[in-house]
């Protein structure tokens, strides 16, 4: 009997402990972690902008703007011009502007040429052949790689931001929200177009180099005087012709007064003849 009593006591104790532990496990499993409150649209967009700010790739090709300005004397303007045209064709360039003129004792010609950057050095070397002395020879190389990377990165981020605003616009329901989002999209679109224009202009200057060439010929003193005298005579002839034309035009403009004067003179003369015996 004692053994049965002790066994029953132990059984009651164990059953009581199991009942006390079960509710604790159930209460733990019933706990729910509430999710954080949703972020506002402005906070989400700001996080999206921060996420889009990616570091530019360091392996981008170096961007160099090359320019040159040359001035030299030549004995034959036409021959030098033909040589420059040949060099332009060989370098796959194009003439942007071409002008010529005459100072006292000097004939000159100015040419501005756009040459592909990869042919810039060969073009300068070809032009320099046969030139004994340069009055001016300036060659510059401007590194715009950092500016190019900055424009490219900003343009990429603006495009991503535009896409995000378009996604939000599709989910917007209120008219005020739609109008505000469309306003922001319009601003971003203008910024994108401005960045695209700057990038295209920079790429154009990098891809094609500008070369300005001025060559001239000094005339002998006697020839220069003859040219100067001939130009003065021709100027005087044109000036006299214009003066004569102006005189006739002035006469035509006062024709009523001339007619009145002629008629008065006629009657006065006729009256004087009558008075004579």
């Amino acid at each position: 009997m004692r053994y049965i009593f002790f066994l029953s006591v132990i059984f009651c104790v164990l059953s009581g402990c199991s009942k006390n532990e079960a509710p604790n496990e159930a209460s733990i499993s019933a706990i729910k972690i509430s999710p954080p409150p949703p972020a506002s649209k402005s906070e989400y967009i700001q996080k999206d902008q921060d996420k889009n700010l990616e570091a530019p790739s360091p392996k981008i090709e170096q961007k160099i703007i090359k320019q040159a300005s040359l001035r030299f004397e030549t004995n034959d303007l036409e021959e030098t011009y033909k040589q420059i045209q040949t060099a332009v064709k060989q370098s796959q360039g194009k003439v942007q502007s071409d002008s010529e003129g005459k100072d006292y004792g000097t004939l000159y010609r100015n040419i501005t040429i756009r040459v592909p950057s990869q042919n810039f050095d060969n073009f300068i070397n070809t032009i320099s052949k046969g030139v004994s002395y340069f009055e001016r020879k300036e060659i510059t190389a401007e590194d715009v790689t950092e500016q190019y990377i900055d424009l490219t990165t900003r343009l990429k981020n603006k495009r991503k931001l535009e896409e995000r605003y378009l996604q939000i616009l599709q989910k917007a329901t209120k008219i005020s929200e739609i109008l505000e989002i469309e306003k922001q999209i319009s601003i971003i679109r203008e910024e994108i177009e401005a960045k695209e224009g700057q990038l295209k202009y920079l790429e154009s200057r990098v891809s094609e180099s500008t070369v300005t060439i001025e060559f001239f010929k000094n005339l002998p003193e006697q020839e220069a005087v003859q040219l100067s005298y001939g130009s003065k005579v021709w100027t005087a002839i044109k000036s006299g012709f214009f003066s004569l034309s102006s005189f006739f035009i002035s006469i035509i403009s006062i024709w009523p007064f001339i007619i009145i004067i002629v008629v008065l003179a006629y009657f006065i003369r006729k009256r004087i003849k009558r008075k004579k015996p």
Side-chain angles (χ1 to χ4, degrees):
M1 292 295 291
R2 290 181 179 178
Y3 293 107
I4 295 172
F5 176 77
F6 285 118
L7 289 173
S8 61
V9 171
I10 292 171
F11 178 76
C12 290
V13 171
L14 292 175
S15 62
C17 293
S18 62
K19 289 180 181 179
N20 292 331
E21 291 177 359
N24 292 333
E25 293 177 357
S27 60
I28 293 173
S29 62
I31 297 175
K32 294 182 179 180
I33 300 175
S34 59
S40 62
K41 292 183 179 180
S42 60
E43 292 177 351
Y44 191 83
I45 293 173
Q46 182 64 37
K47 291 180 180 179
D48 190 67
Q49 292 184 39
D50 297 338
K51 183 179 179 181
N52 289 336
L53 293 176
E54 302 174 355
S57 176
K59 296 182 180 181
I60 191 169
E61 183 183 357
Q62 193 175 19
K63 305 295 181 180
I64 304 294
I65 297 177
K66 296 180 179 180
Q67 293 180 330
S69 178
L70 311 176
R71 174 180 166 84
F72 57 89
E73 182 180 358
T74 180
N75 295 325
D76 192 337
L77 292 176
E78 290 299 326
E79 184 63 26
T80 302
Y81 179 68
K82 290 179 181 179
Q83 292 176 0
I84 292 174
Q85 282 185 319
T86 302
V88 170
K89 292 180 181 179
Q90 291 177 352
S91 302
Q92 299 178 350
K94 56 185 178 183
V95 177
Q96 184 172 345
S97 64
D98 186 0
S99 62
E100 57 183 335
K102 177 179 69 65
D103 291 331
Y104 182 78
T106 303
L107 296 175
Y108 63 88
R109 190 159 193 167
N110 293 332
I111 305 175
T112 302
I113 302 166
R114 299 294 299 274
V115 182
S117 297
Q118 63 270 21
N119 301 331
F120 176 80
D121 295 332
N122 291 333
F123 179 76
I124 296 298
N125 293 332
T126 303
I127 296 299
S128 300
K129 290 179 180 179
V131 179
S132 57
Y133 173 75
F134 283 96
E135 284 197 1
R136 182 181 67 250
K137 186 175 184 180
E138 299 175 355
I139 299 176
T140 60
E142 181 183 1
D143 190 349
V144 293
T145 307
E146 184 177 354
Q147 183 179 355
Y148 183 87
I149 292 174
D150 181 68
L151 281 173
T152 305
T153 304
R154 290 177 181 272
L155 182 60
K156 182 179 179 181
N157 293 334
K158 290 294 180 183
R159 286 172 175 168
K160 287 185 177 181
L161 184 60
E162 182 188 26
E163 292 177 1
R164 184 57 190 152
Y165 267 110
L166 291 174
Q167 293 175 0
I168 296 174
L169 180 62
Q170 293 177 355
K171 300 177 182 178
T173 56
K174 296 181 180 180
I175 296 178
S176 58
E177 292 180 352
I178 294 174
L179 293 176
E180 181 63 26
I181 295 172
E182 289 179 345
K183 180 181 177 181
Q184 294 298 325
I185 292 175
S186 177
I187 295 173
I188 295 172
R189 170 49 52 185
E190 290 179 359
E191 294 176 352
I192 289 175
E193 291 176 354
K195 292 289 185 295
E196 287 176 343
Q198 295 174 8
L199 195 61
K200 287 181 180 179
Y201 176 71
L202 193 63
E203 289 175 345
S204 174
R205 294 189 63 193
V206 170
S207 61
E208 289 187 335
S209 302
T210 303
V211 181
T212 302
I213 305 173
E214 180 181 357
F215 53 100
F216 62 93
K217 177 183 178 181
N218 289 325
L219 299 174
E221 184 176 355
Q222 184 177 1
E223 184 179 354
V225 171
Q226 290 177 355
L227 287 175
S228 178
Y229 179 76
S231 62
K232 289 180 179 179
V233 170
W234 176 243
T235 302
I237 292 173
K238 291 193 294 182
S239 177
F241 176 76
F242 291 141
S243 298
L244 184 61
S245 300
S246 300
F247 175 73
F248 283 118
I249 292 173
S250 300
I251 291 176
I252 294 172
S253 63
I254 60 173
W255 66 269
F257 299 99
I258 295 176
I259 293 175
I260 293 173
I261 292 172
V262 171
V263 171
L264 289 174
Y266 173 75
F267 284 107
I268 292 172
R269 185 179 179 183
K270 189 175 181 180
R271 188 172 181 181
I272 292 173
K273 286 183 178 181
R274 287 179 181 179
K275 288 184 180 181
K276 288 182 179 182

Short mmCIF file of all heavy atoms in Angstrom, two decimals, residues 2 8 16 30 39 48 52-53 74 80 82 98 113 165 187 197 200 202 223 230 244 257 261 275:
data_model
loop_
_atom_site.label_atom_id
_atom_site.label_comp_id
_atom_site.label_asym_id
_atom_site.label_seq_id
_atom_site.Cartn_x
_atom_site.Cartn_y
_atom_site.Cartn_z
N ARG A 2 1.95 1.19 0.76
CA ARG A 2 2.83 2.38 0.80
C ARG A 2 3.38 2.69 -0.59
O ARG A 2 3.48 3.83 -1.00
CB ARG A 2 3.98 2.16 1.77
CG ARG A 2 3.52 2.15 3.22
CD ARG A 2 4.72 1.95 4.12
NE ARG A 2 4.30 1.97 5.51
CZ ARG A 2 5.14 1.78 6.55
NH1 ARG A 2 6.44 1.60 6.30
NH2 ARG A 2 4.69 1.79 7.81
N SER A 8 1.31 7.17 -6.52
CA SER A 8 0.22 8.08 -6.86
C SER A 8 0.61 9.53 -6.61
O SER A 8 0.27 10.45 -7.36
CB SER A 8 -1.04 7.71 -6.07
OG SER A 8 -0.79 7.83 -4.67
N GLY A 16 0.93 17.73 -12.55
CA GLY A 16 0.75 19.16 -12.25
C GLY A 16 1.80 20.01 -12.91
O GLY A 16 1.54 21.10 -13.42
N ALA A 30 2.03 32.40 -29.14
CA ALA A 30 0.96 33.31 -29.55
C ALA A 30 1.45 34.74 -29.74
O ALA A 30 0.71 35.58 -30.22
CB ALA A 30 -0.16 33.29 -28.48
N ALA A 39 7.03 53.43 -44.47
CA ALA A 39 7.68 54.73 -44.68
C ALA A 39 6.84 55.57 -45.63
O ALA A 39 6.14 55.05 -46.50
CB ALA A 39 9.08 54.54 -45.23
N ASP A 48 15.65 55.67 -52.18
CA ASP A 48 15.91 55.19 -53.55
C ASP A 48 17.00 56.01 -54.22
O ASP A 48 17.84 55.47 -54.93
CB ASP A 48 14.62 55.27 -54.36
CG ASP A 48 14.76 54.56 -55.69
OD1 ASP A 48 14.89 53.33 -55.69
OD2 ASP A 48 14.75 55.26 -56.72
N ASN A 52 20.67 54.74 -55.48
CA ASN A 52 21.09 54.88 -56.88
C ASN A 52 22.42 55.58 -57.04
O ASN A 52 23.02 55.55 -58.11
CB ASN A 52 20.03 55.66 -57.66
CG ASN A 52 18.77 54.84 -57.87
OD1 ASN A 52 18.83 53.61 -57.85
ND2 ASN A 52 17.65 55.52 -58.04
N LEU A 53 22.90 56.25 -55.99
CA LEU A 53 24.18 56.96 -56.10
C LEU A 53 25.31 55.96 -56.06
O LEU A 53 25.87 55.63 -55.01
CB LEU A 53 24.31 57.98 -54.95
CG LEU A 53 23.33 59.15 -55.00
CD1 LEU A 53 23.50 60.02 -53.76
CD2 LEU A 53 23.57 59.99 -56.24
N THR A 74 54.40 81.99 -95.95
CA THR A 74 54.60 81.13 -97.11
C THR A 74 54.88 81.99 -98.33
O THR A 74 54.52 83.17 -98.37
CB THR A 74 53.36 80.25 -97.36
OG1 THR A 74 53.59 79.42 -98.50
CG2 THR A 74 52.13 81.10 -97.62
N THR A 80 50.20 76.38 -100.77
CA THR A 80 50.03 76.02 -99.36
C THR A 80 48.59 75.59 -99.08
O THR A 80 48.35 74.63 -98.34
CB THR A 80 50.41 77.20 -98.46
OG1 THR A 80 51.76 77.59 -98.72
CG2 THR A 80 50.27 76.84 -96.99
N LYS A 82 46.52 74.20 -101.20
CA LYS A 82 46.32 72.87 -101.78
C LYS A 82 46.92 71.79 -100.87
O LYS A 82 46.32 70.72 -100.69
CB LYS A 82 46.96 72.81 -103.16
CG LYS A 82 46.23 73.64 -104.22
CD LYS A 82 46.94 73.54 -105.56
CE LYS A 82 46.23 74.40 -106.61
NZ LYS A 82 46.91 74.35 -107.92
N ASP A 98 36.62 79.33 -93.69
CA ASP A 98 37.71 79.69 -94.58
C ASP A 98 37.55 81.15 -94.99
O ASP A 98 36.49 81.53 -95.51
CB ASP A 98 37.70 78.77 -95.81
CG ASP A 98 38.90 79.01 -96.72
OD1 ASP A 98 39.74 79.88 -96.41
OD2 ASP A 98 38.99 78.34 -97.77
N ILE A 113 39.75 74.06 -89.05
CA ILE A 113 39.55 72.67 -89.48
C ILE A 113 39.20 71.81 -88.28
O ILE A 113 39.75 71.98 -87.19
CB ILE A 113 40.82 72.13 -90.17
CG1 ILE A 113 41.17 73.02 -91.38
CG2 ILE A 113 40.64 70.69 -90.61
CD1 ILE A 113 42.55 72.78 -91.91
N TYR A 165 9.67 57.61 -60.19
CA TYR A 165 8.50 58.49 -60.13
C TYR A 165 7.38 57.96 -61.03
O TYR A 165 6.19 58.08 -60.69
CB TYR A 165 8.88 59.91 -60.55
CG TYR A 165 9.27 60.80 -59.40
CD1 TYR A 165 10.58 61.20 -59.22
CD2 TYR A 165 8.32 61.25 -58.49
CE1 TYR A 165 10.94 62.03 -58.16
CE2 TYR A 165 8.66 62.07 -57.44
CZ TYR A 165 9.98 62.45 -57.26
OH TYR A 165 10.32 63.26 -56.21
N ILE A 187 10.21 68.30 -64.15
CA ILE A 187 11.48 68.92 -63.75
C ILE A 187 12.66 67.99 -64.03
O ILE A 187 13.71 68.39 -64.54
CB ILE A 187 11.42 69.31 -62.26
CG1 ILE A 187 10.38 70.41 -62.04
CG2 ILE A 187 12.79 69.77 -61.77
CD1 ILE A 187 10.14 70.74 -60.58
N GLY A 197 22.41 67.15 -73.46
CA GLY A 197 23.01 68.14 -74.36
C GLY A 197 24.45 68.44 -73.98
O GLY A 197 25.33 68.53 -74.86
N LYS A 200 26.62 65.42 -75.04
CA LYS A 200 26.84 65.35 -76.48
C LYS A 200 27.87 66.38 -76.93
O LYS A 200 28.73 66.10 -77.77
CB LYS A 200 25.53 65.54 -77.22
CG LYS A 200 24.58 64.35 -77.12
CD LYS A 200 23.30 64.61 -77.90
CE LYS A 200 22.35 63.43 -77.80
NZ LYS A 200 21.08 63.68 -78.53
N LEU A 202 30.26 67.70 -75.12
CA LEU A 202 31.58 67.28 -74.62
C LEU A 202 32.14 66.15 -75.47
O LEU A 202 33.33 66.14 -75.81
CB LEU A 202 31.45 66.86 -73.16
CG LEU A 202 32.75 66.68 -72.37
CD1 LEU A 202 33.48 68.01 -72.27
CD2 LEU A 202 32.46 66.14 -70.98
N GLU A 223 55.11 96.30 -105.21
CA GLU A 223 53.86 95.61 -105.54
C GLU A 223 52.76 95.98 -104.56
O GLU A 223 51.61 96.17 -104.93
CB GLU A 223 54.09 94.10 -105.53
CG GLU A 223 52.87 93.30 -105.96
CD GLU A 223 53.16 91.81 -105.96
OE1 GLU A 223 54.32 91.44 -105.74
OE2 GLU A 223 52.20 91.04 -106.18
N GLY A 230 45.94 100.95 -106.77
CA GLY A 230 44.84 100.47 -107.59
C GLY A 230 43.54 100.36 -106.81
O GLY A 230 42.47 100.72 -107.30
N LEU A 244 27.33 110.82 -108.00
CA LEU A 244 26.53 111.25 -109.15
C LEU A 244 25.11 110.72 -109.06
O LEU A 244 24.14 111.44 -109.35
CB LEU A 244 27.20 110.76 -110.45
CG LEU A 244 26.55 111.21 -111.77
CD1 LEU A 244 26.57 112.73 -111.87
CD2 LEU A 244 27.27 110.57 -112.95
N PHE A 257 9.58 122.10 -107.70
CA PHE A 257 10.18 123.43 -107.54
C PHE A 257 10.89 123.87 -108.82
O PHE A 257 10.87 125.05 -109.20
CB PHE A 257 11.14 123.44 -106.35
CG PHE A 257 10.50 123.11 -105.04
CD1 PHE A 257 10.58 121.83 -104.51
CD2 PHE A 257 9.78 124.07 -104.36
CE1 PHE A 257 9.98 121.52 -103.32
CE2 PHE A 257 9.18 123.76 -103.15
CZ PHE A 257 9.27 122.49 -102.62
N ILE A 261 10.06 127.24 -110.98
CA ILE A 261 11.11 128.23 -111.29
C ILE A 261 11.20 128.48 -112.80
O ILE A 261 11.32 129.62 -113.27
CB ILE A 261 12.46 127.76 -110.72
CG1 ILE A 261 12.42 127.78 -109.19
CG2 ILE A 261 13.59 128.65 -111.22
CD1 ILE A 261 13.63 127.15 -108.54
N LYS A 275 8.04 145.24 -122.45
CA LYS A 275 8.35 146.60 -122.00
C LYS A 275 9.37 147.27 -122.92
O LYS A 275 9.47 148.48 -122.93
CB LYS A 275 8.87 146.57 -120.59
CG LYS A 275 7.76 146.26 -119.57
CD LYS A 275 8.30 146.33 -118.16
CE LYS A 275 7.22 146.04 -117.15
NZ LYS A 275 7.73 146.13 -115.77
#
